[in-house]
Amino acid sequence: MTNQPALPELRVGVVGTGQRAGLAVLAEQPGSARVVSCADPSERGRADARTLFGPDARIHDRYEDMLTDDLDAVFVLTPDDLHTAPALYFLEAGVAVFVEKPLAVSLDDCDRVLAAAARTGTRLYVGHNLRHLPVLRTMRRLVDEGAIGTVRAVWCRHFVGHGGDYYFKDWHAERSRTTGLLLQKGAHDLDVIHWLAGGYARTVTALGDLAVYGTGPHRRTRPQGSERVQDWFDEGVWPPSALRDLNPVIDVEDISMVLTRLDNGVLTSYQQCHFTPDYWRNYTVIGDEGRIENLGDGVEGDAPSIKVWNRRRSGYRAEADLTLAPTEAADGSHGGADQALVDEFLRFVAHGGATETSPVAAREAVATGIAATTSLRSGGTPVEVPALDAHLVDYFARHQPGSRGPGTTRWERLIGDGQ
């Protein structure tokens, strides 16, 4: 047997070494991938990069300077409103790009990023890790197996029990930075709703309010600086009105309710509340032959169960016709979803092919979040979601067939040369 040459190690960069930098740490896989370059404009971010990725990683103030580090792929882990510029920069340079969700905070920026990926042939990946969450993957498998017949409705209740600490003490609380939490936080769930239902929202209506945190007098008076949620988070503070050091600007809603009709006729409901005492997601998928529901989601280390009622009619019964645990391991951050997400991205960079996540789906989640926010702020007026250009839908449906021009990475060149 002829010995095959070892595959070259992927050289990975990280733009933004703040709250989600731990995601890129999961890409440190000796022999397969290594983080060799980082950029962050803050002194704390650069110091954290040295701690996370060691003395051999090159650290920059500006992401533009990272191109000298001969990268194959880059993680864009900046705040949401700063995703677009570095994503476009590296796509144009032929460096595969991972963009943390949401893809962007405006639909125009989403479409610009997708168009650049298609035009250059550079691989684009968006970090919707819930598609790798074991409990949701099990629910999706049950849907695919026909356990409840044809899906007719999907409901999601998201109890954001730490919402005050996570989203109302920093830039997340400002419309100018996020559009709103139905986009910033809701993009996860809207993507999962679409995934479970097999379609994308086209008509959206929503209601919501800034019910709790908007009236809180305890605002931060000092500059935030480089503080992060772990610097102020205290699970013992209750009720939410007792929270201190809220962001000086709070103009996003803390409770919202969304109804949509998808392009395949499925009806959906999404409810998000940032002042509940518990923190988890509850999905219900209703078909014409039964329903599926999760109790617990595994994100915070709980042991979720999935229940299926599909054999007979009855009144309330806690004992479902089928109760099961997720069929995949749930170890690590976000129930193991983060590691699975990063592994899929690295495989996609090296080999291409189909992925569980989808740039088009990421765009549709943003589009739905924007439409819902627009509806909410206009008293519940129905809003139509604009469709993506057909040629981009087709390009990504074919799993981004790469070009040999600007999209050719160093790794691909080495493979082509037999190194």
Side-chain angles (χ1 to χ4, degrees), residues 4-11 31-32 72 123 346-352 404 407-419:
Q4 296 295 322
L7 298 180
E9 191 175 60
L10 289 171
R11 294 175 60 85
S32 298
D72 302 304
R123 288 170 180 156
L346 296 177
R347 188 270 300 162
F348 179 62
V349 172
H351 304 291
R404 298 304 298 175
T408 302
T409 66
R410 178 194 69 91
W411 193 92
E412 290 171 316
R413 293 196 303 272
L414 288 172
I415 290 295
D417 294 339
Q419 297 184 30

Side-chain angles (χ1 to χ4, degrees), residues 161-209:
H162 305 320
D165 279 300
Y166 285 3
Y167 302 105
F168 289 89
K169 291 189 174 185
D170 64 5
W171 57 270
H172 293 88
E174 302 180 28
R175 295 184 185 188
S176 64
R177 304 292 305 275
T178 64
T179 297
L181 294 177
L182 281 176
L183 189 164
Q184 199 287 329
K185 182 62 171 171
H188 264 323
D189 297 300
L190 294 170
D191 177 60
V192 170
I193 288 170
H194 290 163
W195 186 50
L196 292 173
Y200 296 130
R202 284 297 167 256
T203 303
V204 180
T205 185
L207 293 173
D209 203 358

Side-chain angles (χ1 to χ4, degrees), residues 290-356:
R291 77 178 180 93
I292 304 169
E293 181 176 1
N294 69 292
L295 300 173
D297 60 15
V299 170
E300 293 289 303
D302 59 289
S305 64
I306 300 146
K307 295 194 172 188
V308 184
W309 293 266
N310 63 352
R311 293 180 186 169
R312 61 186 175 91
R313 289 185 292 176
S314 71
Y316 171 77
R317 51 190 171 103
E319 293 302 320
D321 297 309
L322 174 66
T323 300
L324 66 160
T327 53
E328 298 180 11
D331 298 325
S333 56
H334 288 102
D338 283 351
Q339 185 66 69
L341 184 80
V342 170
D343 290 347
E344 181 175 76
F345 171 61
L346 296 177
R347 188 270 300 162
F348 179 62
V349 172
H351 304 291
T355 59
E356 292 288 355

Side-chain angles (χ1 to χ4, degrees), residues 132-154:
H132 291 279
L133 190 66
V135 67
L136 291 173
R137 291 179 64 79
T138 301
M139 294 178 75
R140 171 61 190 254
R141 176 179 61 78
L142 289 167
V143 168
D144 290 344
E145 291 173 351
I148 56 170
T150 301
V151 174
R152 301 298 184 185
V154 180

Side-chain angles (χ1 to χ4, degrees), residues 375-391:
S375 175
L376 181 157
R377 293 175 184 165
S378 60
T381 303
V383 175
E384 298 299 313
V385 179
L388 182 64
D389 285 347
H391 80 280

